[in-house]
């Protein structure tokens, strides 16, 4: 969910599943890797689903932003 910090008001709420870490913010989007090996990309302003992709393996650490459009994830094999 997203909350406007200045007011404490909930802006939007979206259920996508359990995660190991916070979303990665890039541009006007949020990227979230879930425990079901799925990457969700949400619109940061509305919470609407932009895209969804199955990851080839489980992510064991929080994703890191490499540049404006690339995230790095670590898998169990390193």
């Amino acid at each position: 969910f997203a909350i406007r910090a200045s007011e404490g008001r909930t802006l939007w709420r979206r259920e996508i599943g359990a995660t190991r870490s916070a979303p990665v913010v890039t541009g006007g989007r949020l990227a979230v890797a879930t425990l079901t090996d799925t990457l969700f990309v949400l619109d940061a302003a509305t919470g609407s689903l932009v895209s969804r992709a199955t990851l080839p393996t489980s992510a064991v650490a929080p994703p890191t932003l490499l540049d404006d459009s690339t995230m790095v994830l670590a898998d169990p094999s390193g």
Side-chain angles (χ1 to χ4, degrees), residues 1-2 4 6 12 17 19 21-22 29 31 39 43 45 48 52 55 59 63-64 68 71 74-75:
F1 59 91
R4 181 169 308 283
S6 62
W12 55 261
T19 67
S21 61
R29 298 194 171 148
L39 178 68
D43 181 277
S48 62
R52 172 185 173 165
L55 297 173
T64 302
D68 289 343
M71 281 182 19
D75 71 12

Side-chain angles (χ1 to χ4, degrees), residues 34-50:
T34 69
L35 293 178
T36 58
D37 304 333
T38 304
L39 178 68
F40 288 90
V41 179
L42 307 176
D43 181 277
T46 66
S48 62
L49 183 64
V50 174

Side-chain angles (χ1 to χ4, degrees), residues 1-5 7-14:
F1 59 91
I3 294 178
R4 181 169 308 283
E7 304 165 359
R9 180 174 58 93
T10 300
L11 298 174
W12 55 261
R13 181 178 301 270
R14 162 80 56 184

Side-chain angles (χ1 to χ4, degrees), residues 47-67:
S48 62
L49 183 64
V50 174
S51 65
R52 172 185 173 165
T54 301
L55 297 173
T57 185
S58 295
V60 295
T64 302
L65 194 60
L66 183 63
D67 59 33

